[in-house]
Amino acid sequence: MSTIMRFYRTYTPAQYERAVELWGNLLDSHVIRLSGDTWGRGIEKIEPDHLHQLIMSDGAETFDYEAVTVTLVSYSDHHGSEFDAANVLALEGTPGVETKTEGRGGEGYAQVQLGELPGDLGEDIDTCLEWLAHIVECVDRIADYPVLDHDKLYEYEQELREAAWDEWLRSDLIGELDKWAGGDGWEDFGVSDDELREMFYGYIPAYWEFQSATSITNTSFREITEHIQGTVLAAWRKWVYDPAQPALPLSV
């Protein structure tokens, strides 16, 4: 028979009071969602005794109460926005925060375990409380303004733009160019995929719009297609002088 031993943190009265205050502030935010770990059901409210026991157990299930997951922000194909996806990226690497990130066609979230201080058990508790305060501050910022880090939002948009080429842009573009060239005649122009991609992404101005948290579309698709047609046709018609080519006989 084996016994599982769990070690808990030892708070001073002031540290415990601070932990209760910070967790309480987090629970008061309208941004977060709560779910019980036993059945995965949503939880509307955490009673004070439930919170106090989870703080003392460092987030572990107790005899009286189940463990609780706090979702700080999440997104998928069906809910959330690009701001939520960028915020998950911004929270990556934050002590105490578990993140999952997937781009187009996926889902992502940033979560914490209610009552579990960030950091290892051997970490200084005051330092862990500072990390917890940072998490609460991030949630407060999201509640006031949707984006934690605009650079992360830009990086996420670029990631979806790049993924769109392999997933649908290339095939849609070639389909339109084939129609323009008369069936499958587009291949006769000898434009490589890399050249085509460079022309598409190099077009200015191009306008992109998020369709959901995980997908983006180019609203300038028609203009870019016409630009590529004109560019390729102009290059194909351009007369190139080749000194090795024999002169054609002039008609008399």
Side-chain angles (χ1 to χ4, degrees):
M1 179 177 177
S2 61
T3 302
I4 297 176
M5 298 184 63
R6 182 175 177 88
F7 297 92
Y8 303 115
R9 301 179 193 268
T10 303
Y11 292 88
T12 66
Q15 289 171 336
Y16 179 75
E17 183 178 348
R18 178 61 171 157
V20 172
E21 176 190 10
L22 290 172
W23 285 116
N25 290 342
L26 184 65
L27 292 175
D28 285 341
S29 175
H30 71 273
V31 171
I32 59 110
R33 289 186 295 106
L34 305 172
S35 59
D37 288 5
T38 303
W39 307 108
R41 62 183 177 85
I43 298 176
E44 292 296 326
K45 183 180 179 181
I46 299 293
E47 297 298 331
D49 192 50
H50 191 170
L51 174 60
H52 295 167
Q53 288 202 30
L54 289 182
I55 291 175
M56 295 309 299
S57 71
D58 202 41
E61 179 183 7
T62 71
F63 183 78
D64 298 310
Y65 294 105
E66 66 179 327
V68 175
T69 295
V70 183
T71 300
L72 310 177
V73 60
S74 66
Y75 68 92
S76 73
D77 292 341
H78 308 294
H79 83 276
S81 69
E82 66 271 22
F83 303 135
D84 298 311
N87 288 337
V88 171
L89 292 175
L91 288 166
E92 277 188 321
T94 301
V97 179
E98 178 188 354
T99 58
K100 173 185 177 182
T101 56
E102 295 179 358
R104 182 178 173 89
E107 62 178 0
Y109 57 73
Q111 298 175 335
V112 297
Q113 199 70 25
L114 183 61
E116 181 181 13
L117 276 186
D120 298 328
L121 285 175
E123 200 79 52
D124 176 69
I125 287 184
D126 286 329
T127 299
C128 296
L129 288 170
E130 289 178 8
W131 288 335
L132 178 57
H134 173 68
I135 294 171
V136 175
E137 178 189 354
C138 287
V139 171
D140 287 344
R141 287 168 55 195
I142 292 172
D144 292 335
Y145 185 75
V147 185
L148 285 173
D149 187 335
H150 281 278
D151 288 340
K152 291 296 182 182
L153 177 59
Y154 176 75
E155 290 174 14
Y156 183 66
E157 180 177 339
Q158 291 299 113
E159 176 188 334
L160 292 193
R161 287 188 187 188
E162 294 298 320
W165 179 257
D166 292 328
E167 292 172 2
W168 64 275
L169 271 178
R170 177 187 175 278
S171 59
D172 282 10
L173 179 60
I174 289 179
E176 290 299 314
L177 293 173
D178 277 340
K179 293 178 187 177
W180 166 73
D184 297 327
W186 168 249
E187 293 182 358
D188 296 339
F189 287 94
V191 180
S192 69
D193 276 1
D194 287 343
E195 291 171 325
L196 189 61
R197 185 181 183 282
E198 184 178 348
M199 282 189 285
F200 187 92
Y201 282 97
Y203 179 82
I204 298 175
Y207 299 99
W208 296 80
E209 288 183 2
F210 281 92
Q211 296 176 298
S212 71
T214 60
S215 63
I216 196 169
T217 188
N218 190 310
T219 60
S220 306
F221 184 83
R222 173 56 53 193
E223 292 88 338
I224 298 175
T225 302
E226 293 173 352
H227 168 73
I228 292 174
Q229 292 169 356
T231 300
V232 171
L233 188 60
W236 183 72
R237 286 175 170 172
K238 185 177 180 180
W239 181 77
V240 178
Y241 172 68
D242 183 357
Q245 180 178 347
L248 296 175
L250 298 177
S251 57
V252 181

